[in-house]
PDB file of all heavy atoms in Angstrom:
ATOM      1  N   ASN A  27     -32.496  -6.341 -12.271  1.00 96.00           N
ATOM      2  CA  ASN A  27     -32.327  -6.413 -13.717  1.00 96.00           C
ATOM      3  C   ASN A  27     -33.656  -6.302 -14.467  1.00 96.00           C
ATOM      4  O   ASN A  27     -33.703  -5.766 -15.572  1.00 96.00           O
ATOM      5  CB  ASN A  27     -31.609  -7.701 -14.096  1.00 96.00           C
ATOM      6  CG  ASN A  27     -30.136  -7.678 -13.732  1.00 96.00           C
ATOM      7  OD1 ASN A  27     -29.554  -6.610 -13.509  1.00 96.00           O
ATOM      8  ND2 ASN A  27     -29.520  -8.848 -13.666  1.00 96.00           N
ATOM      9  N   ALA A  28     -34.727  -6.812 -13.880  1.00 95.00           N
ATOM     10  CA  ALA A  28     -36.029  -6.725 -14.528  1.00 95.00           C
ATOM     11  C   ALA A  28     -36.477  -5.281 -14.663  1.00 95.00           C
ATOM     12  O   ALA A  28     -37.096  -4.898 -15.658  1.00 95.00           O
ATOM     13  CB  ALA A  28     -37.062  -7.538 -13.764  1.00 95.00           C
ATOM     14  N   LYS A  29     -36.171  -4.459 -13.659  1.00 97.00           N
ATOM     15  CA  LYS A  29     -36.541  -3.045 -13.680  1.00 97.00           C
ATOM     16  C   LYS A  29     -35.446  -2.157 -14.240  1.00 97.00           C
ATOM     17  O   LYS A  29     -35.662  -0.949 -14.410  1.00 97.00           O
ATOM     18  CB  LYS A  29     -36.903  -2.578 -12.275  1.00 97.00           C
ATOM     19  CG  LYS A  29     -38.126  -3.253 -11.689  1.00 97.00           C
ATOM     20  CD  LYS A  29     -38.422  -2.714 -10.302  1.00 97.00           C
ATOM     21  CE  LYS A  29     -39.661  -3.346  -9.716  1.00 97.00           C
ATOM     22  NZ  LYS A  29     -39.949  -2.835  -8.355  1.00 97.00           N
ATOM     23  N   LYS A  30     -34.274  -2.728 -14.514  1.00 97.00           N
ATOM     24  CA  LYS A  30     -33.114  -1.977 -15.001  1.00 97.00           C
ATOM     25  C   LYS A  30     -32.787  -0.834 -14.047  1.00 97.00           C
ATOM     26  O   LYS A  30     -32.632   0.326 -14.434  1.00 97.00           O
ATOM     27  CB  LYS A  30     -33.356  -1.472 -16.427  1.00 97.00           C
ATOM     28  CG  LYS A  30     -33.652  -2.596 -17.401  1.00 97.00           C
ATOM     29  CD  LYS A  30     -34.005  -2.109 -18.793  1.00 97.00           C
ATOM     30  CE  LYS A  30     -32.825  -1.553 -19.525  1.00 97.00           C
ATOM     31  NZ  LYS A  30     -33.158  -1.241 -20.947  1.00 97.00           N
ATOM     32  N   MET A  31     -32.669  -1.189 -12.766  1.00 97.00           N
ATOM     33  CA  MET A  31     -32.419  -0.219 -11.717  1.00 97.00           C
ATOM     34  C   MET A  31     -31.222  -0.637 -10.873  1.00 97.00           C
ATOM     35  O   MET A  31     -30.978  -1.835 -10.667  1.00 97.00           O
ATOM     36  CB  MET A  31     -33.635  -0.078 -10.806  1.00 97.00           C
ATOM     37  CG  MET A  31     -34.881   0.469 -11.485  1.00 97.00           C
ATOM     38  SD  MET A  31     -34.761   2.255 -11.774  1.00 97.00           S
ATOM     39  CE  MET A  31     -34.892   2.863 -10.094  1.00 97.00           C
ATOM     40  N   VAL A  32     -30.490   0.350 -10.386  1.00 98.00           N
ATOM     41  CA  VAL A  32     -29.421   0.163  -9.421  1.00 98.00           C
ATOM     42  C   VAL A  32     -29.724   1.037  -8.220  1.00 98.00           C
ATOM     43  O   VAL A  32     -30.186   2.173  -8.376  1.00 98.00           O
ATOM     44  CB  VAL A  32     -28.045   0.530 -10.004  1.00 98.00           C
ATOM     45  CG1 VAL A  32     -26.947   0.290  -8.978  1.00 98.00           C
ATOM     46  CG2 VAL A  32     -27.775  -0.265 -11.266  1.00 98.00           C
ATOM     47  N   TYR A  33     -29.445   0.518  -7.029  1.00 98.00           N
ATOM     48  CA  TYR A  33     -29.746   1.238  -5.801  1.00 98.00           C
ATOM     49  C   TYR A  33     -28.506   1.343  -4.924  1.00 98.00           C
ATOM     50  O   TYR A  33     -27.603   0.516  -4.985  1.00 98.00           O
ATOM     51  CB  TYR A  33     -30.848   0.533  -5.009  1.00 98.00           C
ATOM     52  CG  TYR A  33     -32.090   0.260  -5.805  1.00 98.00           C
ATOM     53  CD1 TYR A  33     -32.315  -0.985  -6.375  1.00 98.00           C
ATOM     54  CD2 TYR A  33     -33.048   1.255  -5.990  1.00 98.00           C
ATOM     55  CE1 TYR A  33     -33.460  -1.241  -7.110  1.00 98.00           C
ATOM     56  CE2 TYR A  33     -34.189   1.011  -6.725  1.00 98.00           C
ATOM     57  CZ  TYR A  33     -34.396  -0.238  -7.283  1.00 98.00           C
ATOM     58  OH  TYR A  33     -35.534  -0.480  -8.014  1.00 98.00           O
ATOM     59  N   LEU A  34     -28.489   2.366  -4.097  1.00 98.00           N
ATOM     60  CA  LEU A  34     -27.479   2.498  -3.063  1.00 98.00           C
ATOM     61  C   LEU A  34     -28.187   2.864  -1.770  1.00 98.00           C
ATOM     62  O   LEU A  34     -28.648   4.001  -1.607  1.00 98.00           O
ATOM     63  CB  LEU A  34     -26.436   3.555  -3.419  1.00 98.00           C
ATOM     64  CG  LEU A  34     -25.257   3.660  -2.449  1.00 98.00           C
ATOM     65  CD1 LEU A  34     -24.398   2.394  -2.512  1.00 98.00           C
ATOM     66  CD2 LEU A  34     -24.411   4.886  -2.742  1.00 98.00           C
ATOM     67  N   GLN A  35     -28.299   1.895  -0.873  1.00 98.00           N
ATOM     68  CA  GLN A  35     -28.876   2.133   0.438  1.00 98.00           C
ATOM     69  C   GLN A  35     -27.774   2.636   1.350  1.00 98.00           C
ATOM     70  O   GLN A  35     -26.774   1.953   1.554  1.00 98.00           O
ATOM     71  CB  GLN A  35     -29.490   0.855   0.999  1.00 98.00           C
ATOM     72  CG  GLN A  35     -30.086   1.003   2.394  1.00 98.00           C
ATOM     73  CD  GLN A  35     -31.279   1.924   2.421  1.00 98.00           C
ATOM     74  OE1 GLN A  35     -32.168   1.810   1.582  1.00 98.00           O
ATOM     75  NE2 GLN A  35     -31.311   2.839   3.374  1.00 98.00           N
ATOM     76  N   MET A  36     -27.956   3.820   1.903  1.00 98.00           N
ATOM     77  CA  MET A  36     -26.948   4.461   2.731  1.00 98.00           C
ATOM     78  C   MET A  36     -27.501   4.621   4.137  1.00 98.00           C
ATOM     79  O   MET A  36     -28.468   5.347   4.350  1.00 98.00           O
ATOM     80  CB  MET A  36     -26.552   5.818   2.152  1.00 98.00           C
ATOM     81  CG  MET A  36     -26.085   5.754   0.705  1.00 98.00           C
ATOM     82  SD  MET A  36     -25.492   7.351   0.082  1.00 98.00           S
ATOM     83  CE  MET A  36     -27.012   8.300   0.169  1.00 98.00           C
ATOM     84  N   ASN A  37     -26.878   3.941   5.088  1.00 98.00           N
ATOM     85  CA  ASN A  37     -27.263   4.013   6.487  1.00 98.00           C
ATOM     86  C   ASN A  37     -26.123   4.596   7.306  1.00 98.00           C
ATOM     87  O   ASN A  37     -24.970   4.582   6.890  1.00 98.00           O
ATOM     88  CB  ASN A  37     -27.623   2.626   7.020  1.00 98.00           C
ATOM     89  CG  ASN A  37     -28.774   1.987   6.288  1.00 98.00           C
ATOM     90  OD1 ASN A  37     -29.709   2.669   5.861  1.00 98.00           O
ATOM     91  ND2 ASN A  37     -28.731   0.670   6.135  1.00 98.00           N
ATOM     92  N   GLY A  38     -26.458   5.074   8.489  1.00 98.00           N
ATOM     93  CA  GLY A  38     -25.441   5.639   9.363  1.00 98.00           C
ATOM     94  C   GLY A  38     -24.645   6.747   8.706  1.00 98.00           C
ATOM     95  O   GLY A  38     -23.418   6.799   8.833  1.00 98.00           O
ATOM     96  N   LEU A  39     -25.336   7.634   8.018  1.00 98.00           N
ATOM     97  CA  LEU A  39     -24.661   8.674   7.247  1.00 98.00           C
ATOM     98  C   LEU A  39     -23.874   9.621   8.134  1.00 98.00           C
ATOM     99  O   LEU A  39     -24.298   9.952   9.246  1.00 98.00           O
ATOM    100  CB  LEU A  39     -25.671   9.438   6.406  1.00 98.00           C
ATOM    101  CG  LEU A  39     -26.154   8.679   5.170  1.00 98.00           C
ATOM    102  CD1 LEU A  39     -27.433   9.293   4.621  1.00 98.00           C
ATOM    103  CD2 LEU A  39     -25.063   8.679   4.106  1.00 98.00           C
ATOM    104  N   LYS A  40     -22.739  10.046   7.614  1.00 98.00           N
ATOM    105  CA  LYS A  40     -21.832  10.945   8.309  1.00 98.00           C
ATOM    106  C   LYS A  40     -21.656  12.218   7.493  1.00 98.00           C
ATOM    107  O   LYS A  40     -21.842  12.205   6.277  1.00 98.00           O
ATOM    108  CB  LYS A  40     -20.464  10.280   8.507  1.00 98.00           C
ATOM    109  CG  LYS A  40     -20.506   8.941   9.219  1.00 98.00           C
ATOM    110  CD  LYS A  40     -19.129   8.297   9.244  1.00 98.00           C
ATOM    111  CE  LYS A  40     -19.161   6.958   9.936  1.00 98.00           C
ATOM    112  NZ  LYS A  40     -17.813   6.321   9.944  1.00 98.00           N
ATOM    113  N   PRO A  41     -21.280  13.324   8.133  1.00 97.00           N
ATOM    114  CA  PRO A  41     -21.049  14.555   7.369  1.00 97.00           C
ATOM    115  C   PRO A  41     -20.056  14.371   6.230  1.00 97.00           C
ATOM    116  O   PRO A  41     -20.213  14.998   5.173  1.00 97.00           O
ATOM    117  CB  PRO A  41     -20.516  15.527   8.430  1.00 97.00           C
ATOM    118  CG  PRO A  41     -21.163  15.066   9.692  1.00 97.00           C
ATOM    119  CD  PRO A  41     -21.190  13.560   9.587  1.00 97.00           C
ATOM    120  N   GLU A  42     -19.054  13.515   6.407  1.00 97.00           N
ATOM    121  CA  GLU A  42     -18.076  13.289   5.362  1.00 97.00           C
ATOM    122  C   GLU A  42     -18.630  12.529   4.166  1.00 97.00           C
ATOM    123  O   GLU A  42     -17.948  12.384   3.148  1.00 97.00           O
ATOM    124  CB  GLU A  42     -16.837  12.566   5.911  1.00 97.00           C
ATOM    125  CG  GLU A  42     -17.164  11.321   6.711  1.00 97.00           C
ATOM    126  CD  GLU A  42     -17.176  11.567   8.212  1.00 97.00           C
ATOM    127  OE1 GLU A  42     -17.778  12.588   8.638  1.00 97.00           O
ATOM    128  OE2 GLU A  42     -16.589  10.760   8.957  1.00 97.00           O
ATOM    129  N   ASP A  43     -19.859  12.024   4.265  1.00 98.00           N
ATOM    130  CA  ASP A  43     -20.521  11.410   3.125  1.00 98.00           C
ATOM    131  C   ASP A  43     -21.141  12.441   2.194  1.00 98.00           C
ATOM    132  O   ASP A  43     -21.618  12.080   1.110  1.00 98.00           O
ATOM    133  CB  ASP A  43     -21.613  10.444   3.585  1.00 98.00           C
ATOM    134  CG  ASP A  43     -21.061   9.249   4.336  1.00 98.00           C
ATOM    135  OD1 ASP A  43     -20.019   8.708   3.919  1.00 98.00           O
ATOM    136  OD2 ASP A  43     -21.687   8.850   5.341  1.00 98.00           O
ATOM    137  N   THR A  44     -21.167  13.696   2.607  1.00 98.00           N
ATOM    138  CA  THR A  44     -21.739  14.752   1.784  1.00 98.00           C
ATOM    139  C   THR A  44     -20.997  14.840   0.456  1.00 98.00           C
ATOM    140  O   THR A  44     -19.778  15.002   0.420  1.00 98.00           O
ATOM    141  CB  THR A  44     -21.680  16.097   2.513  1.00 98.00           C
ATOM    142  OG1 THR A  44     -22.507  16.042   3.682  1.00 98.00           O
ATOM    143  CG2 THR A  44     -22.169  17.220   1.617  1.00 98.00           C
ATOM    144  N   ALA A  45     -21.735  14.729  -0.636  1.00 98.00           N
ATOM    145  CA  ALA A  45     -21.140  14.732  -1.969  1.00 98.00           C
ATOM    146  C   ALA A  45     -22.245  14.642  -3.006  1.00 98.00           C
ATOM    147  O   ALA A  45     -23.406  14.375  -2.683  1.00 98.00           O
ATOM    148  CB  ALA A  45     -20.176  13.554  -2.142  1.00 98.00           C
ATOM    149  N   VAL A  46     -21.859  14.845  -4.255  1.00 98.00           N
ATOM    150  CA  VAL A  46     -22.724  14.502  -5.371  1.00 98.00           C
ATOM    151  C   VAL A  46     -22.431  13.055  -5.737  1.00 98.00           C
ATOM    152  O   VAL A  46     -21.275  12.686  -5.958  1.00 98.00           O
ATOM    153  CB  VAL A  46     -22.498  15.418  -6.586  1.00 98.00           C
ATOM    154  CG1 VAL A  46     -23.380  14.989  -7.754  1.00 98.00           C
ATOM    155  CG2 VAL A  46     -22.782  16.867  -6.215  1.00 98.00           C
ATOM    156  N   TYR A  47     -23.470  12.245  -5.794  1.00 98.00           N
ATOM    157  CA  TYR A  47     -23.324  10.820  -6.077  1.00 98.00           C
ATOM    158  C   TYR A  47     -23.713  10.539  -7.520  1.00 98.00           C
ATOM    159  O   TYR A  47     -24.765  10.985  -7.989  1.00 98.00           O
ATOM    160  CB  TYR A  47     -24.179   9.996  -5.119  1.00 98.00           C
ATOM    161  CG  TYR A  47     -23.583   9.894  -3.737  1.00 98.00           C
ATOM    162  CD1 TYR A  47     -23.557  11.001  -2.893  1.00 98.00           C
ATOM    163  CD2 TYR A  47     -23.016   8.704  -3.285  1.00 98.00           C
ATOM    164  CE1 TYR A  47     -22.985  10.923  -1.634  1.00 98.00           C
ATOM    165  CE2 TYR A  47     -22.448   8.610  -2.024  1.00 98.00           C
ATOM    166  CZ  TYR A  47     -22.434   9.729  -1.208  1.00 98.00           C
ATOM    167  OH  TYR A  47     -21.870   9.638   0.048  1.00 98.00           O
ATOM    168  N   TYR A  48     -22.865   9.759  -8.211  1.00 98.00           N
ATOM    169  CA  TYR A  48     -23.038   9.473  -9.627  1.00 98.00           C
ATOM    170  C   TYR A  48     -23.159   7.976  -9.877  1.00 98.00           C
ATOM    171  O   TYR A  48     -22.422   7.179  -9.299  1.00 98.00           O
ATOM    172  CB  TYR A  48     -21.850   9.991 -10.438  1.00 98.00           C
ATOM    173  CG  TYR A  48     -21.642  11.482 -10.378  1.00 98.00           C
ATOM    174  CD1 TYR A  48     -20.828  12.048  -9.410  1.00 98.00           C
ATOM    175  CD2 TYR A  48     -22.256  12.321 -11.303  1.00 98.00           C
ATOM    176  CE1 TYR A  48     -20.629  13.415  -9.358  1.00 98.00           C
ATOM    177  CE2 TYR A  48     -22.056  13.688 -11.259  1.00 98.00           C
ATOM    178  CZ  TYR A  48     -21.241  14.230 -10.283  1.00 98.00           C
ATOM    179  OH  TYR A  48     -21.042  15.583 -10.235  1.00 98.00           O
ATOM    180  N   CYS A  49     -24.044   7.615 -10.767  1.00 98.00           N
ATOM    181  CA  CYS A  49     -24.197   6.246 -11.236  1.00 98.00           C
ATOM    182  C   CYS A  49     -23.349   6.053 -12.487  1.00 98.00           C
ATOM    183  O   CYS A  49     -23.287   6.937 -13.349  1.00 98.00           O
ATOM    184  CB  CYS A  49     -25.669   5.975 -11.541  1.00 98.00           C
ATOM    185  SG  CYS A  49     -26.064   4.298 -12.045  1.00 98.00           S
ATOM    186  N   ASN A  50     -22.686   4.902 -12.593  1.00 98.00           N
ATOM    187  CA  ASN A  50     -21.782   4.620 -13.699  1.00 98.00           C
ATOM    188  C   ASN A  50     -21.990   3.206 -14.215  1.00 98.00           C
ATOM    189  O   ASN A  50     -22.192   2.280 -13.426  1.00 98.00           O
ATOM    190  CB  ASN A  50     -20.329   4.811 -13.239  1.00 98.00           C
ATOM    191  CG  ASN A  50     -19.319   4.204 -14.185  1.00 98.00           C
ATOM    192  OD1 ASN A  50     -18.739   3.152 -13.891  1.00 98.00           O
ATOM    193  ND2 ASN A  50     -19.093   4.852 -15.307  1.00 98.00           N
ATOM    194  N   ALA A  51     -21.929   3.042 -15.532  1.00 97.00           N
ATOM    195  CA  ALA A  51     -22.064   1.738 -16.170  1.00 97.00           C
ATOM    196  C   ALA A  51     -20.775   1.369 -16.890  1.00 97.00           C
ATOM    197  O   ALA A  51     -20.163   2.209 -17.557  1.00 97.00           O
ATOM    198  CB  ALA A  51     -23.227   1.742 -17.162  1.00 97.00           C
ATOM    199  N   ARG A  52     -20.376   0.103 -16.765  1.00 97.00           N
ATOM    200  CA  ARG A  52     -19.181  -0.397 -17.432  1.00 97.00           C
ATOM    201  C   ARG A  52     -19.490  -1.725 -18.103  1.00 97.00           C
ATOM    202  O   ARG A  52     -20.281  -2.524 -17.599  1.00 97.00           O
ATOM    203  CB  ARG A  52     -18.027  -0.562 -16.439  1.00 97.00           C
ATOM    204  CG  ARG A  52     -17.593   0.732 -15.774  1.00 97.00           C
ATOM    205  CD  ARG A  52     -16.376   0.513 -14.879  1.00 97.00           C
ATOM    206  NE  ARG A  52     -15.170   0.249 -15.650  1.00 97.00           N
ATOM    207  CZ  ARG A  52     -14.386   1.183 -16.183  1.00 97.00           C
ATOM    208  NH1 ARG A  52     -14.688   2.456 -16.025  1.00 97.00           N
ATOM    209  NH2 ARG A  52     -13.305   0.836 -16.858  1.00 97.00           N
ATOM    210  N   LEU A  53     -18.843  -1.945 -19.244  1.00 95.00           N
ATOM    211  CA  LEU A  53     -18.997  -3.178 -19.998  1.00 95.00           C
ATOM    212  C   LEU A  53     -17.615  -3.661 -20.413  1.00 95.00           C
ATOM    213  O   LEU A  53     -16.896  -2.962 -21.120  1.00 95.00           O
ATOM    214  CB  LEU A  53     -19.881  -2.961 -21.224  1.00 95.00           C
ATOM    215  CG  LEU A  53     -20.154  -4.189 -22.089  1.00 95.00           C
ATOM    216  CD1 LEU A  53     -20.927  -5.237 -21.305  1.00 95.00           C
ATOM    217  CD2 LEU A  53     -20.912  -3.792 -23.346  1.00 95.00           C
ATOM    218  N   SER A  54     -17.250  -4.844 -19.953  1.00 92.00           N
ATOM    219  CA  SER A  54     -15.931  -5.417 -20.248  1.00 92.00           C
ATOM    220  C   SER A  54     -14.810  -4.447 -19.905  1.00 92.00           C
ATOM    221  O   SER A  54     -13.843  -4.301 -20.654  1.00 92.00           O
ATOM    222  CB  SER A  54     -15.859  -5.837 -21.716  1.00 92.00           C
ATOM    223  OG  SER A  54     -16.816  -6.823 -22.011  1.00 92.00           O
ATOM    224  N   GLY A  55     -14.943  -3.762 -18.769  1.00 90.00           N
ATOM    225  CA  GLY A  55     -13.930  -2.844 -18.307  1.00 90.00           C
ATOM    226  C   GLY A  55     -13.954  -1.474 -18.954  1.00 90.00           C
ATOM    227  O   GLY A  55     -13.144  -0.615 -18.589  1.00 90.00           O
ATOM    228  N   GLN A  56     -14.855  -1.246 -19.881  1.00 95.00           N
ATOM    229  CA  GLN A  56     -14.942   0.023 -20.592  1.00 95.00           C
ATOM    230  C   GLN A  56     -16.049   0.895 -20.019  1.00 95.00           C
ATOM    231  O   GLN A  56     -17.172   0.428 -19.832  1.00 95.00           O
ATOM    232  CB  GLN A  56     -15.195  -0.232 -22.078  1.00 95.00           C
ATOM    233  CG  GLN A  56     -15.286   1.023 -22.925  1.00 95.00           C
ATOM    234  CD  GLN A  56     -15.535   0.714 -24.384  1.00 95.00           C
ATOM    235  OE1 GLN A  56     -15.487  -0.438 -24.804  1.00 95.00           O
ATOM    236  NE2 GLN A  56     -15.804   1.740 -25.171  1.00 95.00           N
ATOM    237  N   ASP A  57     -15.726   2.149 -19.753  1.00 96.00           N
ATOM    238  CA  ASP A  57     -16.720   3.100 -19.281  1.00 96.00           C
ATOM    239  C   ASP A  57     -17.760   3.347 -20.362  1.00 96.00           C
ATOM    240  O   ASP A  57     -17.414   3.679 -21.498  1.00 96.00           O
ATOM    241  CB  ASP A  57     -16.049   4.408 -18.886  1.00 96.00           C
ATOM    242  CG  ASP A  57     -17.046   5.475 -18.499  1.00 96.00           C
ATOM    243  OD1 ASP A  57     -18.003   5.160 -17.765  1.00 96.00           O
ATOM    244  OD2 ASP A  57     -16.877   6.640 -18.926  1.00 96.00           O
ATOM    245  N   MET A  58     -19.036   3.198 -19.996  1.00 96.00           N
ATOM    246  CA  MET A  58     -20.097   3.324 -20.979  1.00 96.00           C
ATOM    247  C   MET A  58     -21.053   4.478 -20.720  1.00 96.00           C
ATOM    248  O   MET A  58     -21.829   4.844 -21.606  1.00 96.00           O
ATOM    249  CB  MET A  58     -20.891   2.019 -21.067  1.00 96.00           C
ATOM    250  CG  MET A  58     -20.070   0.815 -21.497  1.00 96.00           C
ATOM    251  SD  MET A  58     -19.337   1.013 -23.146  1.00 96.00           S
ATOM    252  CE  MET A  58     -20.808   1.017 -24.165  1.00 96.00           C
ATOM    253  N   GLY A  59     -21.035   5.046 -19.526  1.00 96.00           N
ATOM    254  CA  GLY A  59     -21.929   6.157 -19.277  1.00 96.00           C
ATOM    255  C   GLY A  59     -22.012   6.547 -17.819  1.00 96.00           C
ATOM    256  O   GLY A  59     -21.651   5.777 -16.928  1.00 96.00           O
TER     257      GLY A  59
END
């Protein structure tokens, strides 16, 4: 929160993990960005 960062550590990757990955923010259940 101090850096305003979100991370996704992905280990043991598989070919089926291939994709475009998107970050999403929600506030009180509402999509914000």
Side-chain angles (χ1 to χ4, degrees):
N27 287 342
K29 296 181 178 179
K30 302 175 72 173
M31 296 285 289
V32 181
Y33 307 98
L34 186 67
Q35 178 66 47
M36 305 185 296
N37 300 325
L39 284 163
K40 305 174 181 179
E42 51 262 46
D43 295 319
T44 295
V46 178
Y47 284 71
Y48 298 91
C49 183
N50 165 255
R52 298 184 71 84
L53 181 63
S54 299
Q56 181 180 351
D57 175 44
M58 299 299 293

